[in-house]
Amino acid sequence: MQTGSVTTPFGRRPMTLALVRRQVALADIKQGKTADKWKVFRDVSAAMELLGIQSNSLAVLDALLSFYPENELRHDSQLVVFPSNVQLALRAHAMAGATLRRHIAILVEAGLIVRRDSANGKRYARKGSDGQIERAFGFDLSPLLARSEELALLAQQVLANRATFRKAKENLTICRRDIRKLITTAIEEGAQGDWQSVEDIYVTLVGRIPRVPKLADVTTILEEMEMLREEIVNRLETQINSENHSSNDAHIEQHLQNSKTESIYEFEPGSRIEQGAKLSEMRQVRREPVKAFPLGMVLKACPMVADYGPGGAVGSWRDLMSAAVVVRSTLGVSASAYQEACEVMGPENAAVAVACILERANFINSAGGYLRDLTKRTERGEFSLGPMIMALLRANGQGSLKAG
């Protein structure tokens, strides 16, 4: 087999260092190495996008392999094929000459074949006295043998990526369906909460899905969709638990009212007050705070707030609220302004508002005044954090923000 030597292309075709490296690498093929040419071809077909070739390039490679008489590419065999352009075009499904030459160049550039040009650029073989080919000029298939393991790994990678992509698309479809139906159910059955903001977030996420999505696109959107679904479920579970507790309280109160009048508590001073206090305590059910947005989404929209968290990180809502207190002081927001925001918005949403203000701090003259304005607008039902969060998500890393 003709390996280990470097040849330059005939005519005006340029020589590059990449071509030199590829030809030198052929000298490293192990003695006795073999590979099924059609298996290698299938691997190349599967990995065509990673190799930067096209379907017509595969047709030309298929035709070149058909001129190699054996099924196995072997280290000790003659791996140079030398068909004319006419013969090659016929086996490549009557491909036009210009198209044929372009895709031969693509195969060479992809490192799948090497040109072995003669002095005059013709393709032919010179035979010895025993009738065996001593030297051939044409297209060397040695790179396919040398890279057989690499090509197999590339093909496996492509197949694994396709499976992952298919699974991610299925999960995204299911997640979209779940969110859509949960929001509809919450609105139709009058569940408490700003479901219009949740709806806006969902619509924005759906709008970010490209017409022809790639794996990275689907994975990113799926992650945010799953966080949104989790938050919706948490909010609905919180409300269901709250209703169950309220129902239990009413049942307990009715039971106490219908209990025997001989109860020892009636004969003790202040017993009615004590009973009322106990009932009040039972009604004060410990509820999970209702967050308007998934924490992960907030941190993506407001990455700067993490620096103010405990240990320079925010891993929970408690951490975010702690960071908001530090940010509030840093931005010069008064304690009263922040307390009022907590009372109107809720402590979690107030912390989110402070994190958003921090992101836009360079464009806000008075952070305290801005927070008070947001609080008043929230109280009047004129403000929702949803658009602000989505605006920061879109603007993050895409240029400066303007204070609105």
Side-chain angles (χ1 to χ4, degrees):
M1 185 182 69
Q2 294 165 238
T3 60
S5 61
V6 176
T7 63
T8 58
F10 173 79
R12 297 181 179 180
R13 290 191 294 268
M15 185 64 180
T16 65
L17 291 178
L19 292 176
V20 174
R21 283 194 296 270
R22 289 167 189 161
Q23 293 187 44
V24 170
L26 299 181
D28 296 330
I29 300 178
K30 295 180 180 179
Q31 291 287 337
K33 183 177 181 179
T34 63
D36 185 300
K37 68 178 183 181
W38 297 121
K39 182 182 184 304
V40 175
F41 178 74
R42 288 193 296 271
D43 291 338
V44 172
S45 300
M48 59 182 291
E49 292 185 6
L50 297 179
L51 294 169
I53 62 177
Q54 305 166 14
S55 56
N56 279 344
S57 308
L58 291 176
V60 174
L61 182 60
D62 180 47
L64 286 172
L65 286 171
S66 70
F67 285 101
Y68 180 73
E70 303 176 29
N71 281 333
E72 275 196 340
L73 302 172
R74 299 197 317 275
H75 175 268
D76 58 354
S77 66
Q78 172 57 251
L79 293 177
V80 177
V81 295
F82 40 90
S84 67
N85 279 357
V86 174
Q87 293 173 315
L88 192 55
L90 286 175
R91 294 201 187 182
H93 314 296
M95 187 177 292
T99 304
L100 178 70
R101 290 189 292 273
R102 184 171 72 254
H103 287 285
I104 288 174
I106 290 175
L107 291 172
V108 173
E109 182 64 26
L112 297 174
I113 61 174
V114 170
R115 292 181 184 272
R116 301 287 181 185
D117 289 345
S118 64
N120 58 7
K122 301 291 184 180
R123 300 175 201 143
Y124 61 91
R126 183 180 296 117
K127 296 183 179 180
S129 57
D130 57 355
Q132 298 296 318
I133 296 177
E134 288 184 343
R135 191 172 187 185
F137 298 97
F139 302 106
D140 191 348
L141 303 177
S142 299
L144 295 175
L145 177 60
R147 300 178 64 187
S148 58
E149 296 90 353
E150 175 197 348
L151 295 171
L153 289 175
L154 288 176
Q156 292 174 14
Q157 178 184 338
V158 169
L159 294 177
N161 288 345
R162 287 177 183 171
T164 302
F165 186 42
R166 182 172 61 252
K167 182 178 179 180
K169 287 176 65 178
E170 290 174 353
N171 290 340
L172 180 59
T173 299
I174 293 172
C175 193
R176 287 180 61 182
R177 181 191 66 198
D178 291 346
I179 293 174
R180 177 69 275 167
K181 291 191 174 183
L182 287 171
I183 292 175
T184 301
T185 300
I187 293 175
E188 289 180 351
E189 298 192 13
Q192 295 179 359
D194 187 2
W195 294 105
Q196 186 56 53
S197 294
V198 178
E199 170 87 6
D200 293 342
I201 294 172
Y202 170 72
V203 171
T204 302
L205 288 176
V206 172
R208 285 170 49 196
I209 303 175
R211 179 170 295 181
V212 184
K214 296 182 180 179
L215 177 58
D217 301 321
V218 174
T219 302
T220 301
I221 299 296
L222 175 60
E223 179 184 351
E224 296 184 27
M225 282 281 190
E226 287 177 336
M227 288 191 296
L228 182 59
R229 178 176 60 184
E230 180 181 357
E231 188 62 32
I232 292 172
V233 171
N234 287 341
R235 294 176 70 173
L236 293 176
E237 286 181 349
T238 299
Q239 182 157 333
I240 291 172
N241 292 336
S242 174
E243 291 173 355
N244 290 340
H245 282 301
S246 297
S247 177
N248 292 338
D249 289 346
H251 176 73
I252 293 170
E253 183 176 4
Q254 182 179 6
H255 174 74
L256 290 175
Q257 289 174 349
N258 296 334
S259 62
K260 295 181 179 180
T261 57
E262 293 83 359
S263 171
I264 60 173
Y265 295 108
E266 291 190 2
F267 299 97
E268 295 180 2
S271 61
R272 294 185 183 276
I273 297 176
E274 291 176 2
Q275 289 179 24
K278 290 181 180 179
L279 285 175
S280 177
E281 290 175 2
M282 296 179 73
R283 290 195 185 106
Q284 290 175 356
V285 180
R286 185 175 181 82
R287 299 179 182 178
E288 193 70 23
V290 178
K291 281 80 71 173
F293 311 96
L295 179 61
M297 184 178 294
V298 172
L299 295 178
K300 284 187 177 182
C302 311
M304 292 173 61
V305 74
D307 296 335
Y308 297 85
V314 170
S316 66
W317 281 99
R318 183 182 297 275
D319 291 346
L320 179 63
M321 290 186 285
S322 298
V325 173
V326 179
V327 172
R328 187 272 302 170
S329 177
T330 303
L331 295 178
V333 177
S334 66
S336 61
Y338 184 62
Q339 179 62 33
E340 186 179 356
C342 288
E343 292 173 357
V344 174
M345 299 181 181
E348 291 80 17
N349 288 339
V352 173
V354 170
C356 292
I357 293 173
L358 176 64
E359 290 293 320
R360 307 176 65 176
N362 292 338
F363 307 93
I364 297 174
N365 293 329
S366 172
Y370 193 70
L371 180 61
R372 286 188 184 278
D373 180 63
L374 295 182
T375 302
K376 291 178 182 178
R377 288 165 58 190
T378 301
E379 202 168 17
R380 295 194 302 266
E382 298 173 356
F383 173 73
S384 170
L385 283 168
M388 181 179 287
I389 289 289
M390 299 315 300
L392 287 173
L393 281 172
R394 289 192 298 268
N396 192 12
Q398 299 179 15
S400 60
L401 294 172
K402 296 180 180 179

